[in-house]
Amino acid sequence: MTRRCRGCAHTALTTLLDLGPVPAADHFPPRDAPVAATESGHPLRMDRCAACGLAQLADDDTVTAEPRGVEPLALRDQAAEAVRRVHGAGLLRGSTVTEFGSPHGGTWLPLLTEHGFTENTGGPADVVLDCFGIMHEPDQRAAFAARAAATAPDGVLLVQYHSLAAIVAQGQWNALRHGHFAYYSLSTLRTLLRAAGMSVVTAWEFDLYGGTVLLAVRHGDHPSDATIDSVLVAESGALSSAAELQHTVDRHVRALRRWLDAGAAHGHRVYAYGAASRAVALLSMAGAHRGLLAGVADASPGKQGRRMPGTDVPIISPTELLAAEPDLVLLTLPDLLTEVRAALPELEGRWMIDDPAGPRGTIGES
């Protein structure tokens, strides 16, 4: 069967990134369950459409019940700042709000309530929110149409996305995961939103996840401001090297394995923090096991008592991590650094940030 683009239905798809068979990103088996060979047998590939430019998950054969994670402080802080900027731009008009949520949790609704909005229970809303939600929709064209239909004629749709340009520029290959069906550039989003009868009018950039963008979108044909041109130019430069993303995978996996081997050779007690989906493929492909990585701490009670897919590495609580007195702790999500430093001051000087070039220390960082 001929595959079609999830966004525009064209068939001109090329492979941008192929990780081969890996574990399902959100299936965390019980800690003592044996590691089965089939556990790491789920294909994971990113294709890109030559017509609209949408980078997308090729296929997804996984069926998992995702344990709900704990919303990071960095995400909550960014949400508050985003709402402040949108309000400052005069775009929070009206009284009703609808949110297309992300399965990872988190909501902007309380922030809108503070501005006098009430959640809409039927019909189009004055403000429609989508913070990392739409990427979880297999049918992208239908998803954009649904958000357009949910937005009142004079309303605003706010869409936040993890920039494909940031993923490419920073070698974030492990942002590719099962359940995430689309990876966006601003150029592609403008095309898909135009097809839904909407125009991007302005944008705000944030450092979250190495580069996220919030768009303000309205019905009809509206001019965009200078911010849009600036983002488009920056994204174009970064995306010109998209083919390099595949080469980053092997370098990252090899660098992590060398670091884990060196830690074991020196007798270090090495742990990690963050049983995040982006750590699943990385740890499995690096061949992590308890002899190299004693455990991965995570604040989510739903993940504690389980293990990292494709490995025998257990997921433990932050309290258990402190009790283990680790020599080094690999932080799988750099955005958590400020939060975990404040919560776990006993580990100061032991944090190592995961990086495609190899884990790097945090001494001297603020």
Side-chain angles (χ1 to χ4, degrees), residues 177-251:
R177 51 150 286 182
H178 302 107
H180 285 182
F181 293 95
Y183 304 81
Y184 307 104
S185 67
L186 175 53
S187 175
T188 293
L189 280 169
R190 290 179 91 187
T191 298
L192 298 179
L193 285 162
R194 280 197 200 101
M198 305 191 79
S199 302
V200 178
V201 295
T202 192
W204 298 269
E205 297 180 272
F206 300 91
D207 293 333
L208 184 70
Y209 303 148
T212 58
V213 182
L214 175 65
L215 301 181
V217 188
R218 297 181 61 196
H219 283 291
D221 189 11
H222 298 277
S224 58
D225 64 13
T227 306
I228 298 301
D229 294 331
S230 175
V231 175
L232 287 170
V233 169
E235 286 191 345
S236 177
L239 291 174
S240 65
S241 60
E244 290 298 311
L245 196 58
Q246 184 71 56
H247 302 300
T248 305
V249 179
D250 289 340
R251 292 197 297 269

Side-chain angles (χ1 to χ4, degrees), residues 87-103:
H87 176 66
L91 290 172
L92 291 184
R93 298 188 290 264
S95 60
T96 57
V97 59
T98 290
E99 184 173 53
F100 288 85
S102 163

